[in-house]
Amino acid sequence: MGVTAVLMLPLLLLGISGLLFIYQEVSRLWSKSAVQNKVVVITDAISGLGKECARVFHTGGARLVLCGKNWERLQILYDALISVADPSKTFTPKLVLLDLSDISCVQDVAKEVLDCYGCVDILINNASMKVKGPAHKISLELDKKIMDANYFGPITLTKALLPDMISRRTGQIVLVNNIQGKLGIPFRTAYAASKHAALGFFDCLRAEVEEYDVVVSTVSPTFIRSYHVDPSQGNWEASIWKFFFRKLTYGVHPVDVAEEVMRTVRRKKQEVFMANPIPKAAVYIRTFFPEFFFAVVACGVKEKLNVPEEG
């Protein structure tokens, strides 16, 4: 019996590996078919996450409209995409200059986006601006700039493109948000406020456009870290709140977020929260035990925690 079990173990592992491979291939083909020939608009395509989203959707056969506020970086991304993709299976991306913090130009840019292919099937609101500092030291002008980039810019573009989706009774709008749309972290008042506002807007919009078969999705990771920055090791056991915030601020890789955005589009998910157990627990603690959560946060501020910069 023991010999049989030993012989069966490699076969079992081989079978599991085969099933996983088949699942991954089916998922890859399914993802490709979900966006093939679809017009996909990606804002801030020159950011780390924007580039990865562009790569994933371009490989999937989408007709991309890549938006960014730096033309040279958009062209570099364009060259990178067409150099590695099969031209017989992909479309040449369109490039559009767009700075979402400049609200006055968004309406005109939206018309330019629609002129690229005549419609928009999927809008990925990815652009974001960050700021860190004590609330009383952040100017009101900077607060307004953060709100323009993270809230007014995305909703202005969404409102401009939404009538086309409603008239065609099809479309999907994806908001890449942040954990701070769920809870606030010290020294990021303007950023957290903008993320709360954006999440509230798109949650309401989801119910309003459901009857037109337009899907609204939100993807909320913790912080999106850079390609080459990994969390450093440290002894945090001496302070529970330091351990808590250390885990809370560690982000996810842009590649992982881009793949989750693709899965969200494919499965038409309404809400995705990308985080390890500590941030997830923080959201529940904030909801059901607010006094404890506020005490932990206040403790961190009193000891002048130097919160790491988000990637």
Side-chain angles (χ1 to χ4, degrees), residues 125-275:
N125 282 305
N126 167 59
S128 183
M129 181 181 293
K130 303 175 179 69
V131 64
K132 171 189 170 185
H136 66 281
K137 292 185 178 180
I138 302 296
S139 67
L140 186 58
E141 181 181 357
L142 184 53
D143 284 337
K144 290 179 179 178
K145 189 173 183 179
I146 294 296
M147 289 298 295
D148 283 345
N150 297 351
Y151 175 68
F152 287 110
I155 72 166
T156 302
L157 181 62
T158 298
K159 287 185 175 186
L161 299 179
L162 188 58
D164 170 72
M165 294 183 179
I166 291 175
S167 65
R168 295 167 56 235
R169 300 190 71 87
T170 183
Q172 185 167 3
I173 300 167
V174 181
L175 170 70
V176 180
N177 208 46
N178 187 274
I179 186 178
Q180 292 190 63
K182 298 279 190 179
L183 52 83
I185 297 176
F187 308 116
R188 291 172 175 85
T189 50
Y191 182 71
S194 67
K195 293 301 179 179
H196 272 76
L199 187 62
F201 176 90
F202 284 96
D203 279 351
C204 294
L205 182 64
R206 180 183 296 115
E208 292 181 17
V209 299
E210 183 178 0
E211 64 175 306
Y212 303 108
D213 296 323
V214 176
V215 178
V216 175
S217 307
T218 57
V219 179
S220 299
T222 50
F223 298 117
I224 301 174
R225 58 185 172 89
S226 62
Y227 287 92
H228 306 294
V229 176
D230 292 313
S232 58
Q233 298 298 319
N235 180 22
W236 293 88
E237 288 78 3
S239 177
I240 185 172
W241 65 263
K242 283 187 178 180
F243 173 80
F244 173 81
F245 274 111
R246 193 75 166 178
K247 290 297 183 183
L248 191 65
T249 54
Y250 283 161
V252 291
H253 198 281
V255 172
D256 297 329
V257 182
E259 291 175 352
E260 185 57 52
V261 170
M262 172 64 88
R263 283 191 292 270
T264 299
V265 169
R266 183 187 73 203
R267 299 175 183 175
K268 298 187 182 301
K269 297 179 182 178
Q270 293 183 334
E271 184 175 45
V272 177
F273 186 38
M274 297 183 67

Side-chain angles (χ1 to χ4, degrees), residues 4-81:
T4 304
V6 171
L7 293 175
M8 289 295 293
L9 183 59
L11 294 176
L12 180 61
L13 293 175
L14 182 62
I16 293 173
S17 300
L19 290 174
L20 288 174
F21 175 77
I22 293 172
Y23 173 77
Q24 290 175 350
E25 287 300 301
V26 170
S27 296
R28 182 180 62 81
L29 293 174
W30 188 12
S31 297
K32 184 174 181 180
S33 63
V35 300
Q36 195 165 25
N37 298 322
K38 299 289 187 181
V39 178
V40 180
V41 178
I42 303 175
T43 63
D44 197 16
I46 57 179
S47 65
L49 175 58
K51 292 175 183 177
E52 292 301 330
C53 284
R55 176 187 60 81
V56 169
F57 282 87
H58 184 63
T59 304
R63 293 182 286 175
L64 290 181
V65 180
L66 304 177
C67 303
K69 57 184 179 181
N70 186 299
W71 187 256
E72 291 182 1
R73 293 175 65 185
L74 278 173
Q75 288 183 316
I76 292 172
L77 175 59
Y78 172 91
D79 293 337
L81 290 174

